[in-house]
Amino acid sequence: MMMVGNRIGRSSQGARLVVAAASGASLWFAAFAKAQDYEGQLYPPMNAPLEAIFEQGRNLSFATMLLAVTVALTLGNGFRRMDWRSASLYIAAVNVFLLFKLFLYGNTGIFLQGTFAIFVQMLVFVVCAAGYERESFRQRSYMPHVVQTIYVFALLFVSCNMYVYFYFPGSSIVLSSSRFFGITANPQHLAMSCALCVPALLYCVVRYGMKSIVGTLAVTIMACVLFIEYHSGSRLGFFSTIICIILACRFFLDRRRFVYVIILGALAMPVLYVSLYDSIADLIRSRFVEGRTDTRSEYWASGWDQFIRNPLLGGEPSGDPPKYYFTVSSWISAAYSGGMIALLLLFLFLFSAIGYIFRINKLRDLRSMEQEYADLYISAIALILTVSVFEAVFLGVFSAHTMMVYLYVAGAGTLVGASKRLVYAPRRQFIDADRLRAGRQ
């Protein structure tokens, strides 16, 4: 049994692992859910297990989330009121508001199912995550719950995408127009999900080192992420991943090594420019430039026009039954579908997220915690806010990338919740206070 505060909690390390594994698996199954929006068969068909997951992605995701909640309730330390204080709730509120609008237009089924699904997601990716993340803060030997969950998801998601790339390249849902769609049936969703794995994987590399199995496997997964991002043709996803990796390299460089890298880079740059510029430029042009049209600005203009016509509540859904289709930019999509109400909720999230970054950065400067722990959430939130400008990362019910946003933001909020004690108390008092008090008793 473990010490939680001044009491012995009912949760065990095994229960933590089960909850993290179930949460990661639910993200993986949710990645398949996009394919359920497309009617018809996969051409050519895949093997039976993959086809079953494609057909039951939402159901399997929901079942594993319920498993995580059940284990957390029976073997964990329960749910606390403070767990509900998270900026993730603003994003959940936007999605529930859009579901309510669909209810007003007659789509009762999706409103009931979607609202209940979001409620369960809040339990798994906000409440449970916050509780276990607090234990990670106090027991530094534990891998953070957020990292555990993303690590499990990345292992399943990336390996499965690599499998379908090599074994089912002709499937209409895997590869289309020379762009890799993967198991998500959408290259943008594929790129977003891969990019959101990078902060947690980098934490594993920095925290556990290259000599550990966890660190070595994390590096291997990141190499596969780069491969997938390149073949997806997503410029945002590919270059976001590159930038995250470059920023993380500073952990391995002290001041002397940094000077050496600058000198070697200055010497090698002319050689690389002369010998490899043409081939690298052609490689980038063929994948990210040639044959690509600027559809994003068209969608932005169309979405803005719909928002101007219906500024308060947004435009009407389309289709029968009515649905909202999100293409680019969380902000534009929220504006044309939910109007100023949805935008207000997103701005509340934005202010909270920026506050998280500043507070965590302050804790990092005070050296009140491991620096890689703080950088995990700073890089994750910065990545989320950047991606939200160009993709609808905040919107969706059974969307793996949206649930990953809930998870990262909940972890950051839990860290910020301890900021008052960290700022005004010494490092040892925060980390070992409970342990010392228990010893005195």
Side-chain angles (χ1 to χ4, degrees):
M1 304 296 289
M2 299 179 298
M3 295 296 297
V4 181
N6 292 325
R7 300 175 300 174
I8 298 180
R10 295 175 297 168
S11 61
S12 65
Q13 191 170 3
R16 288 169 53 89
L17 293 175
V18 171
V19 173
S23 302
S26 68
L27 292 172
W28 181 53
F29 289 131
F32 287 89
K34 180 65 179 176
Q36 292 181 260
D37 296 334
Y38 297 90
E39 298 179 356
Q41 301 293 322
L42 307 179
Y43 298 105
M46 299 182 182
N47 54 33
L50 277 177
E51 289 190 4
I53 297 176
F54 270 113
E55 294 175 359
Q56 300 296 327
R58 290 189 179 92
N59 297 333
L60 292 171
S61 177
F62 190 71
T64 47
M65 283 191 290
L66 289 178
L67 173 63
V69 171
T70 302
V71 172
L73 280 174
T74 56
L75 301 177
N77 32 333
F79 299 152
R80 302 177 184 179
R81 185 172 13 177
M82 65 175 295
D83 291 331
W84 292 96
R85 297 186 298 178
S86 172
S88 299
L89 295 179
Y90 294 126
I91 301 177
V94 173
N95 286 300
V96 171
F97 174 66
L98 298 183
L99 289 172
F100 180 71
K101 284 192 62 180
L102 294 179
F103 168 74
L104 296 179
Y105 283 97
N107 198 340
T108 306
I110 194 172
F111 167 71
L112 296 176
Q113 296 173 9
T115 303
F116 184 65
I118 291 176
F119 174 75
V120 175
Q121 290 169 10
M122 291 296 99
L123 292 179
V124 175
F125 298 112
V126 177
V127 183
C128 289
Y132 282 119
E133 201 70 1
R134 275 196 303 275
E135 292 183 6
S136 302
F137 297 155
R138 294 167 178 168
Q139 301 287 340
R140 287 177 292 171
S141 59
Y142 293 158
M143 177 186 287
H145 176 76
V146 171
V147 175
Q148 280 184 323
T149 302
I150 301 295
Y151 194 89
V152 170
F153 167 71
L155 181 61
L156 294 171
F157 183 73
V158 172
S159 59
C160 190
N161 275 292
M162 296 297 292
Y163 174 74
V164 299
Y165 180 85
F166 288 106
Y167 283 90
F168 305 102
S171 175
S172 60
I173 210 167
V174 172
L175 193 64
S176 178
S177 302
S178 74
R179 297 186 68 182
F180 182 44
F181 282 42
I183 62 175
T184 64
N186 186 301
Q188 278 74 33
H189 286 205
L190 176 66
M192 281 191 291
S193 298
C194 284
L196 289 173
C197 293
V198 173
L201 294 173
L202 288 173
Y203 172 87
C204 292
V205 176
V206 175
R207 177 67 176 82
Y208 300 103
M210 290 290 295
K211 295 182 179 180
S212 68
I213 296 177
V214 172
T216 302
L217 187 56
V219 171
T220 304
I221 296 174
M222 280 195 294
C224 295
V225 165
L226 285 173
F227 177 86
I228 293 172
E229 294 280 16
Y230 173 76
H231 286 279
S232 72
S234 173
R235 292 161 286 195
L236 176 65
F238 181 78
F239 291 108
S240 296
T241 303
I242 292 290
I243 291 173
C244 283
I245 293 175
I246 292 174
L247 291 176
C249 290
R250 72 184 188 275
F251 293 112
F252 300 102
L253 304 175
D254 56 20
R255 188 172 299 178
R256 180 185 301 174
R257 291 176 181 175
F258 185 76
V259 173
Y260 290 159
V261 170
I262 293 295
I263 295 174
L264 290 175
L267 294 175
M269 190 64 66
V271 177
L272 294 174
Y273 180 83
V274 173
S275 59
L276 299 177
Y277 174 78
D278 291 336
S279 59
I280 294 177
D282 291 340
L283 195 66
I284 294 176
R285 188 184 305 111
S286 63
R287 174 55 58 182
F288 299 111
V289 179
E290 292 180 353
R292 304 288 294 275
T293 57
D294 182 21
T295 57
R296 182 171 277 110
S297 59
E298 297 178 5
Y299 287 129
W300 284 4
S302 175
W304 181 254
D305 289 340
Q306 294 184 48
F307 171 67
I308 293 299
R309 289 196 295 267
N310 304 278
L312 181 60
L313 299 176
E316 298 181 359
S318 59
D320 186 21
K323 291 183 180 180
Y324 282 112
Y325 297 91
F326 310 118
T327 53
V328 294
S329 181
S330 296
W331 303 89
I332 297 295
S333 297
Y336 79 72
S337 58
M340 295 184 66
I341 295 178
L343 280 180
L344 175 61
L345 293 171
L346 282 190
F347 274 112
L348 290 174
F349 167 79
L350 176 64
F351 297 144
S352 298
I354 294 175
Y356 285 177
I357 291 177
F358 280 103
R359 287 191 179 184
I360 294 174
N361 188 61
K362 184 176 182 179
L363 302 178
R364 183 183 184 277
D365 293 339
L366 292 173
R367 299 185 180 276
S368 299
M369 63 177 59
E370 296 172 342
Q371 293 189 10
E372 58 266 26
Y373 211 163
D375 284 299
L376 162 69
Y377 291 114
I378 292 175
S379 60
I381 294 178
L383 177 63
I384 288 168
L385 294 179
T386 302
V387 172
S388 70
V389 177
F390 302 96
E391 301 293 346
V393 67
F394 296 151
L395 305 178
V397 178
F398 280 100
S399 298
H401 48 79
T402 304
M403 293 191 281
M404 292 169 75
V405 171
Y406 293 151
L407 185 63
Y408 274 126
V409 174
T414 304
L415 181 56
V416 170
S419 62
K420 292 182 179 179
R421 293 180 61 189
L422 284 169
V423 171
Y424 297 109
R427 173 182 174 85
R428 189 161 192 77
Q429 181 180 348
F430 169 72
I431 294 177
D432 293 328
D434 296 331
R435 204 175 304 167
L436 290 174
R437 282 195 293 268
R440 290 171 185 169
Q441 293 175 358

